[in-house]
Amino acid sequence: MSQSIPGLLPAPTQHEGLVAWVSQIAALTKPDRVHWCDGSEAEKSAIIADLIGKGTLKALDQSKRPGCYYAASDPKDVARVESRTFICSQDQADAGPTNNWADPVEMRSRMDGLFDGCMKGRTMYVVPFCMGPLGSHISALGVEITDSGYVAVSMGIMTRMGKGALEQLGTDGVFVPAVHTLGAPLAEGQADVAWPCNDDKWIVHYPETREIWSYGSGYGGNALLGKKCYALRIASVMARDEGWLAEHMLILKLTSPEGVVKYVAAAFPSACGKTNLAMLQPTLDGWKAETVGDDIAWMRYGTDGRLYAVNPEAGFFGVAPGTSRNTNKNALDSLVKDTVFTNVALTADNDVWWEGLTKEAPEGLTNWKGQPHDPSSGEPAAHPNARFAVWAGQCPSIAPEWEDPAGVPIDAILFGGRRASAVPLVTEAFDWEHGVFLGSTVASEGTAAAENKVGELRRDPFAMLPFCGYNMGDYFNHWLKVGASAPDASKLPRFFFVNWFRKDQDGKFVWPGFGDNIRVLKWVVDRLEGKAEAVSTPVGHVPSREALDLSGVELSDAQLSTLLDVDAEVWTEEASLIPAFYEKFGDRLPQALWDQHAALTKRLEDA
Ligand code: GTP
Ligand code: SPV
Ligand code: MN
């Protein structure tokens, strides 16, 4: 029956498994037609024209921003939905205490019901994609089926999508099947809306069989299934089984004035500065920073024993609000063409605006809900999670090797979060195990209510809390194993913990941040080179004051103390909060981390 759906056959591939799966999903979802994506410019233009016709996309002023479009989502579909995200492992214990779990058999039957006829009246796009550079041994393939043209276009920006990926698949290549629907079938003659979606949302992962099913949302990480669903949740499971790492990390290349090159990966929770650090403009003379990735890193040992990383993505899906010429010029200069903006505000002359882009909001703005912006309402004109999607290759700071199939050798791994108190500007771990301990304790303070207080922390270990596809206790163990199995321990990256967000008594950030973060990175590079002084504290190595290059920044002695001193009393309280978190994992928590905690407690007692 599905054979008769226009466009389904002949398929542009000899991969029988793929054709059978696409036919099966078409028979279930009953689209009006099927389109196999080839990733060409002509195809992109045609889908965009269709989306403009439906009102999903608006063309921005093409003389100012050629190839740029604007979408406004349904107000109920603006971000990832963690409460609707499920890891359906056979055994609930394998999903662990930090994930929502549902029985896979029950979930499959629920999905079969929801997906039955869900694409009626719509086009089903078959989107083959590669995560990572085409041809890299670190890369992996996927195929997303979606009834959203917006998703197909976005996947074209964010991944290597189309013909190249299909060719890599060959006749029997392995791919992660990912099915996505807006959950908004159209009855005969029913008019469409600009942003179809469903109030009922399900973001479902089957880790054992490496499948993804997503229902009801058209937005970001819920719908672009190559990103968080595949490149983190499913890939973290693949990485566990195969001995590599799939991480929520940016990748940054640093070149010192002497020409020393180091690659740094950094895990910060969502909205804690990954994109900003990945595109940093150094304020220290002679230093160069270049971008390899801004959100996700896949890492494996190379034949030389070093840990190599690729950015599995091909684009940036970055937060717009707060992005300005002063804070992230490289991001702004990327957005001059071929960009899809979602949920930003529109100016009277058909350009984009968001809070923080300029000091004053221009007159005549239309807010993300399509209404005239009223500055006195206190409502922002752009949604706080408004985003841009843009090809990474057009970022001015992109590193020439960003698509190198070999990846880049990682020298240092940074962890961070928003911590108004306790956590120093930068700390170096004593060794790999201590580094894993630091990563496992990452926490972020969300609101002003928690300022200057230890407590009210959201633990976000390795910035992976919403993205780890299995039990996080096992995940910590995997990190320990990766370190212990290093071909050459002397070539392992070294761990650092950074905190740009220390606040003073008045609630103001003490550290200037942004481009000045190069000062911390310089210390990191100098440590790697064996050149920088550190003070050993109970929590790790902290820079001696002289070792931090602070030329040209105004920081008082008291401010420096705030940034660098380790207060044993505050840290004793900090350390006392860890067991309650660790206990959640029961016997899945590696003993080595309990030992690390005991050792920290002992060092604090002795301090
Ligand atoms: P996701 O894409 O959601 O994962 O976020 P992200 O980690 O990429 O964060 P992003 O770089 O978009 O920054 C989030 C917020 O942190 C923005 O409002 C930035 O202005 C702010 N921010 C980034 N770096 C710094 C810094 O060094 N200091 C201060 N004070 N704020 C920063
Ligand atoms: C995040 O929330 O960490 C994002 C956005 O990068 S999304 O792609 O929606 O996950
Ligand atoms: Mn980001």
Side-chain angles (χ1 to χ4, degrees):
M1 189 247 338
S2 63
Q3 259 70 359
S4 60
I5 299 173
L8 178 60
L9 297 173
T13 170
Q14 308 288 313
H15 194 301
E16 281 173 22
L18 173 58
V19 177
W21 173 67
V22 172
S23 304
Q24 181 201 329
I25 299 301
L28 174 67
T29 59
K30 306 179 180 66
D32 276 11
R33 61 199 86 78
V34 175
H35 176 82
W36 293 78
C37 289
D38 62 13
S40 65
E41 279 304 311
E43 174 184 86
K44 184 178 177 185
S45 303
I47 301 175
I48 286 173
D50 182 57
L51 290 168
I52 290 173
K54 290 192 163 109
T56 309
L57 288 185
K58 283 192 176 72
L60 295 171
D61 181 343
Q62 298 291 300
S63 65
K64 273 196 244 148
R65 289 190 199 269
C68 290
Y69 300 91
Y70 167 74
S73 79
D74 183 298
K76 294 193 291 293
D77 194 22
V78 294
R80 282 184 295 106
V81 283
E82 290 182 17
S83 64
R84 309 300 306 154
T85 301
F86 294 83
I87 301 297
C88 298
S89 45
Q90 275 154 30
D91 184 348
Q92 178 165 10
D94 291 333
T98 59
N99 281 312
N100 300 314
W101 177 84
D103 178 76
V105 176
E106 278 168 34
M107 185 60 90
R108 278 182 199 281
S109 122
R110 184 191 292 276
M111 289 298 112
D112 279 347
L114 283 173
F115 278 74
D116 188 358
C118 68
M119 297 190 185
K120 273 188 187 152
R122 299 192 181 279
T123 300
M124 179 174 118
Y125 298 93
V126 183
V127 183
F129 60 92
C130 181
M131 299 311 290
L134 281 168
S136 167
H137 69 290
I138 310 180
S139 299
L141 297 158
V143 180
E144 176 164 355
I145 288 178
T146 176
D147 55 6
S148 161
Y150 168 90
V151 168
V153 168
S154 301
M155 285 293 287
I157 296 172
M158 296 301 299
T159 71
R160 283 90 178 170
M161 187 276 264
K163 206 163 166 258
L166 207 55
E167 277 166 9
Q168 293 270 304
L169 257 178
T171 55
D172 58 358
V174 175
F175 65 96
V176 166
V179 196
H180 167 253
T181 181
L182 300 165
L186 292 167
E188 192 85 21
Q190 183 186 342
D192 207 353
V193 295
W195 188 276
C197 60
N198 196 300
D199 286 351
D200 196 20
K201 294 178 173 55
W202 296 86
I203 319 299
V204 175
H205 309 71
Y206 302 104
E208 281 99 0
T209 49
R210 300 178 182 176
E211 294 165 84
I212 304 160
W213 286 66
S214 167
Y215 181 88
S217 168
Y219 196 72
N222 303 324
L224 312 180
L225 302 184
K227 196 173 174 58
K228 300 293 168 56
C229 297
Y230 183 169
L232 290 177
R233 296 196 194 95
I234 295 294
S236 63
V237 172
M238 293 161 63
R240 175 199 62 191
D241 295 346
E242 298 164 9
W244 51 284
L245 296 162
E247 299 299 328
H248 192 201
M249 293 180 180
L250 66 95
I251 308 166
L252 174 68
K253 176 186 181 185
L254 292 169
T255 309
S256 77
E258 296 78 35
V260 173
V261 173
K262 299 284 178 203
Y263 295 94
V264 173
F268 308 157
S270 296
C272 289
K274 286 183 300 301
T275 300
N276 275 273
L277 191 66
M279 298 181 187
L280 132 137
Q281 283 204 309
T283 55
L284 283 179
D285 280 350
W287 282 81
K288 193 169 171 187
E290 290 164 282
T291 313
V292 179
D294 85 320
D295 199 43
I296 301 177
W298 284 2
M299 300 185 279
R300 291 185 189 251
Y301 288 115
T303 46
D304 62 356
R306 298 181 73 185
L307 193 61
Y308 282 79
V310 297
N311 171 10
E313 301 190 276
F316 304 126
F317 187 60
V319 181
T323 306
S324 74
R325 213 142 274 289
N326 296 329
T327 56
N328 193 347
K329 184 174 181 300
N330 284 319
L332 274 195
D333 289 344
S334 308
L335 309 180
V336 292
K337 62 169 190 176
D338 299 330
T339 305
V340 176
F341 296 89
T342 304
N343 288 345
V344 300
L346 282 176
T347 65
D349 56 356
N350 210 19
D351 201 3
V352 288
W353 189 85
W354 49 77
E355 277 65 25
L357 178 62
T358 54
K359 260 214 181 94
E360 303 276 324
E363 292 287 320
L365 280 179
T366 302
N367 70 18
W368 69 280
K369 291 179 177 166
Q371 264 119 39
H373 174 56
D374 172 8
S376 70
S377 71
E379 296 257 315
H383 187 278
N385 194 38
R387 299 230 170 204
F388 52 79
V390 65
W391 181 54
Q394 69 191 51
C395 178
S397 62
I398 199 76
E401 60 273 55
W402 81 281
E403 300 204 89
D404 188 337
V408 297
I410 298 298
D411 299 292
I413 293 175
L414 272 46
F415 300 116
R418 283 177 188 265
R419 295 301 309 269
S421 64
V423 180
L425 179 63
V426 56
T427 316
E428 183 185 354
F430 297 123
D431 54 28
W432 185 274
E433 232 175 70
H434 184 232
V436 174
F437 172 69
L438 294 184
S440 77
T441 62
V442 170
S444 223
E445 284 153 359
T447 62
E451 270 163 31
N452 297 326
K453 257 184 33 195
V454 177
E456 295 182 54
L457 303 174
R458 170 171 145 128
R459 291 281 165 195
D460 191 350
F462 287 74
M464 282 287 277
L465 182 75
F467 306 120
C468 183
Y470 61 103
N471 189 312
M472 278 206 106
D474 296 349
Y475 169 88
F476 299 148
N477 196 45
H478 179 59
W479 266 93
L480 292 170
K481 266 169 51 188
V482 166
S485 66
D488 179 347
S490 73
K491 291 180 179 170
L492 278 172
R494 279 156 62 177
F495 288 106
F496 297 80
F497 203 109
V498 299
N499 180 20
W500 318 140
F501 299 97
R502 275 303 276 266
K503 288 187 175 172
D504 62 18
Q505 245 77 24
D506 306 325
K508 278 178 55 191
F509 291 121
V510 179
W511 180 246
F514 301 101
D516 283 316
N517 292 333
I518 190 66
R519 299 168 190 280
V520 171
L521 296 170
K522 177 183 176 188
W523 183 77
V524 168
V525 170
D526 286 347
R527 287 294 291 171
L528 297 171
E529 292 287 283
K531 290 199 309 202
E533 291 279 324
V535 182
S536 186
T537 79
V539 301
H541 298 297
V542 172
S544 64
R545 295 196 179 193
E546 303 70 41
L548 261 192
D549 187 339
L550 296 172
S551 52
V553 285
E554 301 251 324
L555 283 172
S556 68
D557 238 28
Q559 286 174 314
L560 262 179
S561 293
T562 305
L563 291 171
L564 297 178
D565 292 355
V566 173
D567 183 324
E569 214 172 294
V570 171
W571 267 95
T572 301
E573 200 185 336
E574 177 83 18
S576 75
L577 298 172
I578 293 171
F581 175 64
Y582 273 6
E583 276 157 17
K584 284 192 191 178
F585 300 97
D587 61 5
R588 299 267 191 150
L589 194 96
Q591 183 57 39
L593 294 187
W594 280 118
D595 295 346
Q596 284 290 334
H597 179 258
L600 168 64
T601 307
K602 173 89 171 47
R603 288 194 298 271
L604 286 164
E605 280 166 12
D606 294 348

